[in-house]
Amino acid sequence: MAVQEELPADAGQDAIDQLHSIRESIDNIDAALIHLLAERFKFTQGVGRLKAAHGLPPADPARELMQIERLRALAIEAHLDPAFAEKFLNFVIAEVIHHHVQIAGGQTASGA
């Protein structure tokens, strides 16, 4: 169910058109992010299976720290708040570790 945004009566058509165009770009980027995350999780599932098959621990704190530092630097280069990038990556890492634990326990990590 789509909800129609109510804009002020004095909003010009140019501004409304521009707003819709920008939002369409945002929607496209959101879709791309979801697809990229899905692709990333396909690879991390493979890592989880490999770790489980060889008795390796689900988490790798040294690798995680390295990734956080790398993504913080990338965020700075991209003019993105590095604290936000770190929070986002920490969320992703936590989900990956959760999936690795499930895989190691013989469960299927669904949807990722």
Side-chain angles (χ1 to χ4, degrees):
M1 179 172 128
V3 176
Q4 185 69 22
E5 178 182 19
E6 292 198 28
L7 298 170
D10 62 345
Q13 190 60 45
D14 269 354
I16 292 169
D17 291 345
Q18 202 172 11
L19 179 64
H20 289 299
S21 176
I22 293 168
R23 286 181 173 167
E24 186 175 323
S25 294
I26 291 168
D27 292 349
N28 289 338
I29 292 168
D30 288 345
L33 285 171
I34 295 299
H35 288 283
L36 285 170
L37 281 171
E39 191 66 19
R40 186 187 195 285
F41 276 97
K42 287 177 189 174
F43 284 104
T44 61
Q45 290 294 327
V47 168
R49 287 188 294 274
L50 186 63
K51 285 181 172 185
H54 295 280
L56 298 169
D60 184 347
R63 163 80 176 159
E64 294 153 20
L65 182 60
M66 190 174 66
Q67 284 296 92
I68 288 168
E69 290 174 3
R70 186 178 73 83
L71 287 188
R72 283 185 66 91
L74 286 172
I76 291 168
E77 289 176 21
H79 306 288
L80 180 68
D81 178 4
F84 169 76
E86 184 173 344
K87 287 177 193 175
F88 176 75
L89 185 60
N90 280 327
F91 176 78
V92 171
I93 288 170
E95 190 65 19
V96 167
I97 292 169
H98 173 73
H99 291 168
H100 289 183
V101 168
Q102 287 181 325
I103 291 168
Q107 301 174 21
T108 302
S110 62

